[in-house]
Amino acid sequence: PEGFLKYNTPDTTRTGRLTGDTLRLAECMETCAGFELTVTGGSEKTGHSDDSKHYTGQACDFSEKRNPAMDPDTTKNCWEKCAQENYFGKKEGGAHPHWHFQIAPGKNGATGLRTGD
């Protein structure tokens, strides 16, 4: 990896670009993992829950489909190196399984990484 994240589309309305601490977290995760990551959810303004941190530029997603090497062990190891104490992350399932990371606590003040294990 060269410190350049890929985005799943050039259409910024579908995948908004990361900035600030969200970008730094994603770049750190990529460097730690040792392979290029593809951002599949960024700062876009639609497509997430009403109170989503995506809308404020405080969250990013990495789908399993576009990032198959991002396994739970690698993710946990890199999270511990890259995330600040008040950050929140989790593995989300459903029709489009992905890792969701945000630079703010989650619902009810949740912090840390939930791997689904």
Side-chain angles (χ1 to χ4, degrees):
E2 299 174 354
F4 299 103
L5 297 167
K6 282 179 40 178
Y7 289 85
N8 64 326
T9 176
D11 182 353
T12 59
T13 63
R14 288 192 47 223
T15 305
R17 299 311 183 244
L18 305 180
T19 61
D21 288 339
T22 307
L23 176 60
R24 282 187 279 285
L25 173 62
E27 288 176 337
C28 181
M29 294 290 288
E30 178 184 70
T31 299
C32 173
F35 49 83
E36 186 174 63
L37 293 178
T38 300
V39 179
T40 57
S43 62
E44 56 278 353
K45 303 299 181 193
T46 62
H48 300 281
S49 62
D50 290 341
D51 58 350
S52 175
K53 296 299 182 192
H54 287 278
Y55 301 146
T56 58
Q58 295 177 289
C60 57
D61 294 337
F62 298 92
S63 75
E64 284 186 345
K65 181 178 179 180
R66 295 288 182 109
N67 300 283
M70 202 170 177
D71 61 71
D73 289 337
T74 300
T75 302
K76 182 179 181 196
N77 177 53
C78 293
W79 178 266
E80 290 172 359
K81 292 179 181 179
C82 298
Q84 294 183 17
E85 190 174 307
N86 64 330
Y87 288 6
F88 176 72
K90 65 180 177 175
K91 179 81 176 266
E92 295 185 338
H96 305 284
H98 64 278
W99 290 99
H100 170 86
F101 304 132
Q102 61 187 52
I103 60 166
K107 291 188 189 320
N108 300 316
T111 58
L113 179 69
R114 309 293 187 264
T115 61
D117 295 340

